[in-house]
Amino acid sequence: YLEWLGVDGVWLNPTFPSPNNDWGYDVSDYCAVHPELGTMEELDGLVAEAGERGIRILLDLVPAHTSDRHGWFLESRSSRESPRRDWYIWRDEADEQESVFGGQAWTFDERTKQYYHHRFLAQQPDLNWLNGEVHQAFDEILRFWFERGIAGFRIDVVHELVKDPPDRPNLPEIHAVLQRWRRLADTYDPQGILLGETWVLELERMAAFYGAGEDELHLAFNFPFMFAGLDSAALADIVAQTHELLPPVAWPVWALSNHDVARFPTRICDEDDERVKCALLFLLGLRGTPVLYYGDEIGMRQVEIPPERVLDVHERDGARTPMPWGDADWGDPWLPLGGNVASVAKQREEPGSVLRFCRELLALRQGREDIVSGAYASLETPAGVWAWRRGDGSVVAVNLSDDAVRAGLGGRVLLSTAGRDDPGTLGPWEGVVLDV
Ligand code: GLC
């Protein structure tokens, strides 16, 4: 399916053994596979078979905290004299700080009479990244997976990896860790990929995680873009600023959904497939690496979860429901499928479906050097329309409004969200790729 669709990389959410207090983001062993998901042999097989199809696999590294069942933490909490005591953040007194999931960011440990720090759940104690042994331990974890053929990592909570004092990020130290990982990733051929979860709402701060351009992250998620809404002026502004702020050799990343936020067709598109196609068109038509969350390609909606089925501590289950394949029997899946959109099987057969459109767009992208790597230059357009040139010979334009607009664009229509062939006028919520 992924090969048919035309993707060339897959980021898997955490695949490590975990008590699953936070859907795998509480890791109890970084060098193994969660038995519910499979075995190490199966993961190796996946990497090999995906590789044969030109698809590379990224794992989700969770370095800011471990599970409270990880051996390191069990040792750390066993006594104040433990050699691993300082691998975590222990204090005699707690301050007022709140955890991201609510409640205090400190938990008192009865046995050793100190508090440990956790930005997330009490079952996710924060590692102390001011301790050099922690750095060494993660170097080994990175090497372990790179040597197994993993293409790279999406890195969890990279923007807050090092904390000193525990309530604010220690940016110089975070950059030092990223430089160290980049040097390590660069020793592999092909180079290991570092894609950061840089959840910051200022573009300047996001851009800083690329370092000088070739010495820290290869790719950093752009959250201001994710949260810009379907507003042509806001989107154009964020994309222009992103290009200005990134070092010249750095490469942007664009995503609209992930496992932590409501799915974009519901969140910003009013569950209207014409808008969904426009969003996919700009996502895949910009200069940079687009990341689709599973289901984006079929316009999958957010699902209402009945209270008795809730699994997540932070109300994110609605974006984590099973993919409606259509011809596969899910039995009793982890979350309800919900009403949602036509299944993958149906959309594959249906001309004009979101899935067919997404696939055509990916194929067009792959066959057109301008769209893969051409420079981005925004074009003057009437209100509601956002248009840009890619490279020498391509233009992408979307009309994010309810009115038809004469946008004054010429050329030949290569693809239209509405299946029309009129380069002069964009219908309401129509997007096009033009050969100019
Ligand atoms: C990141 C993950 C999120 C997780 C949190 C704690 O934000 O994306 O799912 O809950 O980190 O690890």
Side-chain angles (χ1 to χ4, degrees), residues 14-20 24 26-35 37 67:
T15 44
F16 313 105
S18 163
N20 278 340
D26 45 326
V27 177
S28 54
D29 179 354
Y30 290 91
C31 294
V33 174
H34 196 303
L37 300 176
S67 159

Side-chain angles (χ1 to χ4, degrees), residues 22 25 65 101 120 154 156-157 197 259-260 316 320:
D22 181 17
Y25 284 95
H65 44 261
F101 296 152
F120 296 90
R154 176 267 191 186
D156 194 55
V157 203
E197 185 207 18
H259 62 292
D260 290 327
R316 297 166 295 184
R320 299 176 176 191

Side-chain angles (χ1 to χ4, degrees), residues 142-184:
L142 266 76
R143 282 200 198 94
F144 176 86
W145 289 110
F146 281 139
E147 269 149 39
R148 290 193 97 89
I150 289 297
F153 298 96
R154 176 267 191 186
I155 307 166
D156 194 55
V157 203
V158 95
H159 53 289
E160 288 185 0
L161 180 64
V162 194
K163 293 167 276 284
D164 170 39
D167 63 338
R168 64 183 144 80
N170 178 331
L171 286 169
E173 291 297 330
I174 295 173
H175 290 296
V177 173
L178 293 179
Q179 286 158 12
R180 178 181 177 121
W181 287 349
R182 180 61 180 261
R183 284 194 297 273
L184 195 154

Side-chain angles (χ1 to χ4, degrees), residues 315-326:
E315 295 178 8
R316 297 166 295 184
D317 291 328
R320 299 176 176 191
T321 57
M323 184 85 164
W325 295 111

